[in-house]
Amino acid sequence: RVKREEYLRQELIAVSYEPGHEHKLRLVFQPIINLQTGGVRGFEALARFNSDKYGPISPLEFIPIVENNRLIIAFGKKVINLAIAFVKELLALGVKDCGVAINISVLQLLDPSFAEDLFLRIESAGVPAEMIMIEMTESIFSTNYELLSEALAEIREYGIDTAIDDFGTGFSSLARIEKLHFNTVKMDRVFVAQMNKENATHGIAQDIINICKKFNIKSLAEGIETEEQYNALKGLGCE
């Protein structure tokens, strides 16, 4: 395990900093569906890494290596470039109403140059800011609140939407989400997996959706796998 992690670490360093290794990193795009219309309203960009020695590596394995070795700033820029390139492809096809959500870590968000660098990449590519959404997990709430608020405000003022990911399983409070002006709350898939016809109106998912409506925040459900779950969430008013 130690040898495997060290080999992957060296590969990820090369992907993050050295030319010629970009082919090991790619993105796949999970559609975000408007439950009320059934149409695609955007995509979530998901990083995939392929090791020369070990083949496809799960994000559950390579993301911690990236974060624990302080590679996330450089690695994150590679991901952002690929996501923006996909937005350019959408625009070339005449698609202007579908954006791309990019997952961002605390270390990226609080890096002093992050926002300016992100804006420059967006402007250089000639894509509208409103076609980019930034997603963060609840772990951001364990960091400095004032710095977090300033960083999010700068991103929001530029026209980029923000979302809190995996809601309901970590540190977040509804008061802080509302105060920080997140545009979207993504409820964790564990609440969706519990849904069926019998308990659709009694689960935590309904409470989260109702609270989102109260604060005028978009509600997004992760992990819908069945038509039954789809229809139940649609009936509850999940967006």
Side-chain angles (χ1 to χ4, degrees):
R1 286 199 300 269
V2 171
K3 288 182 178 180
R4 176 186 172 99
E5 181 172 335
E6 177 58 22
Y7 189 91
L8 293 177
R9 188 178 74 88
Q10 293 298 330
E11 280 194 293
L12 289 162
I13 289 172
V15 168
S16 301
Y17 292 106
E18 300 172 14
H21 296 270
E22 293 84 355
H23 63 281
K24 299 179 185 180
L25 174 66
R26 66 186 179 93
L27 300 184
V28 295
F29 298 91
Q30 179 172 299
I32 301 170
I33 306 296
N34 183 318
L35 290 182
Q36 306 307 315
T37 68
V40 177
R41 68 164 301 275
F43 300 89
E44 180 178 3
L46 303 171
R48 295 293 182 262
F49 170 65
N50 196 69
S51 164
D52 288 339
K53 184 174 182 178
Y54 297 107
I57 307 298
S58 167
L60 295 176
E61 182 176 7
F62 76 78
I63 292 297
I65 296 175
V66 168
E67 291 183 333
N68 294 338
N69 289 276
R70 294 281 176 170
L71 302 174
I72 192 64
I73 303 297
F75 185 85
K77 290 177 181 179
K78 303 286 186 180
V79 171
I80 289 169
N81 285 343
L82 291 173
I84 290 175
F86 180 70
V87 173
K88 289 187 69 173
E89 290 183 40
L90 292 177
L91 289 170
L93 293 169
V95 179
K96 299 180 180 180
D97 57 351
C98 285
V100 172
I102 307 169
N103 291 285
I104 297 297
S105 76
V106 177
L107 292 175
Q108 287 172 278
L109 184 64
L110 297 183
D111 178 68
S113 64
F114 173 74
E116 184 179 351
D117 181 78
L118 174 63
F119 303 158
L120 180 61
R121 291 172 193 273
I122 291 172
E123 291 166 10
S124 298
V127 303
E130 58 267 23
M131 290 185 72
I132 302 293
M133 181 164 71
I134 297 299
E135 290 188 8
M136 293 143 279
T137 63
E138 288 185 317
S139 63
I140 64 166
F141 291 107
S142 63
T143 193
N144 186 297
Y145 185 82
E146 289 186 4
L147 289 177
L148 175 63
S149 180
E150 291 174 7
L152 287 172
E154 187 176 6
I155 290 170
R156 189 172 59 253
E157 288 168 9
Y158 187 77
I160 297 173
D161 281 353
T162 56
I164 189 71
D165 202 1
D166 301 331
F167 179 77
T169 60
F171 299 90
S172 63
S173 72
L174 293 165
R176 299 188 87 182
I177 285 177
E178 196 272 336
K179 188 174 289 186
L180 290 170
H181 304 289
F182 281 97
N183 304 100
T184 302
V185 163
K186 299 179 66 177
M187 72 177 81
D188 191 83
R189 63 181 60 243
V190 67
F191 305 122
V192 175
Q194 297 168 357
M195 297 187 73
N196 55 51
K197 290 179 181 178
E198 287 70 34
N199 69 9
T201 59
H202 302 289
I204 295 175
Q206 183 184 35
D207 297 329
I208 294 174
I209 292 166
N210 289 341
I211 291 167
C212 286
K213 290 178 181 177
K214 180 178 180 180
F215 289 107
N216 196 30
I217 298 172
K218 296 184 181 74
S219 55
L220 194 156
E222 291 191 292
I224 298 175
E225 300 289 350
T226 68
E227 187 174 359
E228 187 175 64
Q229 292 167 346
Y230 182 106
N231 290 329
L233 286 159
K234 179 180 178 180
L236 293 175
C238 182
E239 295 178 71

